[in-house]
Amino acid sequence: MNDLVIAQLAREPVPGEVKTRMQPGLSTQRALDLHTAMVRYMVERLSPSASLELWVDGAEDHPLFIECLALGARRIVRQPPGDLGERMAHIASELLLLSRKVVLVGSDAPTLGAAQVSDMSRALDSADLCFVPALDGGYVMLGLRTFVPEVFTGIEWGTGRVLSQSLDAAAAAGRQVELLEPVPDIDVAEDLRWLPPDLAW
């Protein structure tokens, strides 16, 4: 059994369907370029920390995802159907059969890296769940050492209440939670100031 596996969630880069909240500040092409660059960048930053799998929404054989195998992803897996909570629940429950700890992360928080993975792994030695909060009230990384279905249901995904509702659900289920330092995610044009200087797009 693995000690820790990272599941990075990524959408197929389809023009007009990714980073749409960046528009009209960015053109459709620039939004696509940004999305593509962040998927690559996060694979490169996170894969040295632990076994990383790319769970994709779209075609598994898209050139971006194939490229990610060369950048450090161990395998490409298609996401199951359902809303975000249902998809994350499926991924977490499946991977916890194979690993002591599972980390779920999107592709929109390029300041994340090995330090957060290491801190999360240590936190999960005692906690059931560990979150890296986002600055907007959501979270950008979730770690589990046991499956907690409550944190995936009844959450208003895409709102500023995601983290608070998730923490309430964990508390109601009697689970021990740790929070790490918050980091920005890149959702709207104002967030571009948080991009790492070495992220080329």
Side-chain angles (χ1 to χ4, degrees):
M1 177 173 281
N2 294 325
D3 182 60
L4 185 146
V5 63
I6 301 169
Q8 179 179 333
L9 281 64
R11 295 185 66 185
E12 180 182 350
V14 176
E17 295 184 16
V18 293
K19 308 313 293 176
T20 55
R21 293 170 61 193
M22 289 284 178
Q23 300 169 40
L26 295 181
S27 68
T28 298
Q29 183 60 50
R30 286 297 280 162
L32 182 75
D33 292 344
L34 176 62
H35 170 78
T36 300
M38 287 200 298
V39 172
R40 287 194 197 103
Y41 188 84
M42 291 193 65
V43 169
E44 288 184 291
R45 281 179 62 84
L46 296 176
S47 59
S49 308
S51 177
L52 184 144
E53 301 185 356
L54 199 62
W55 286 72
V56 303
D57 180 5
E60 297 162 76
D61 61 351
H62 188 281
L64 170 63
F65 302 145
I66 301 303
E67 181 185 355
C68 286
L69 291 172
L71 295 174
R74 187 172 68 85
R75 65 172 182 150
I76 309 298
V77 190
R78 192 180 183 99
Q79 292 181 25
D83 66 19
L84 179 59
E86 291 169 330
R87 286 181 278 138
M88 290 198 299
H90 175 97
I91 295 167
S93 62
E94 180 173 319
L95 292 181
L96 280 166
L97 298 174
L98 307 170
S99 181
R100 290 181 53 244
K101 304 168 187 174
V102 170
V103 171
L104 304 177
V105 63
S107 296
D108 297 327
T111 61
L112 289 172
Q116 285 90 356
V117 175
S118 178
D119 290 345
M120 182 164 280
S121 182
R122 283 194 295 270
L124 292 172
D125 286 337
S126 55
D128 299 305
L129 300 165
C130 182
F131 293 90
V132 176
L135 299 181
D136 63 3
Y139 61 84
V140 296
M141 185 182 276
L142 167 62
L144 310 94
R145 67 167 179 161
T146 187
F147 184 55
V148 184
E150 292 85 356
V151 300
F152 300 111
T153 59
I155 307 298
E156 297 174 57
W157 303 108
T159 73
R161 301 182 64 196
V162 168
L163 180 62
S164 63
Q165 290 177 339
S166 301
L167 294 175
D168 288 345
R175 301 298 186 170
Q176 183 178 349
V177 177
E178 285 210 28
L179 295 178
L180 302 183
E181 289 295 316
V183 303
D185 54 359
I186 312 299
D187 286 331
V188 296
E190 296 76 40
D191 297 331
L192 292 173
R193 69 188 189 276
W194 301 114
L195 285 177
D198 62 335
L199 194 159
W201 61 288

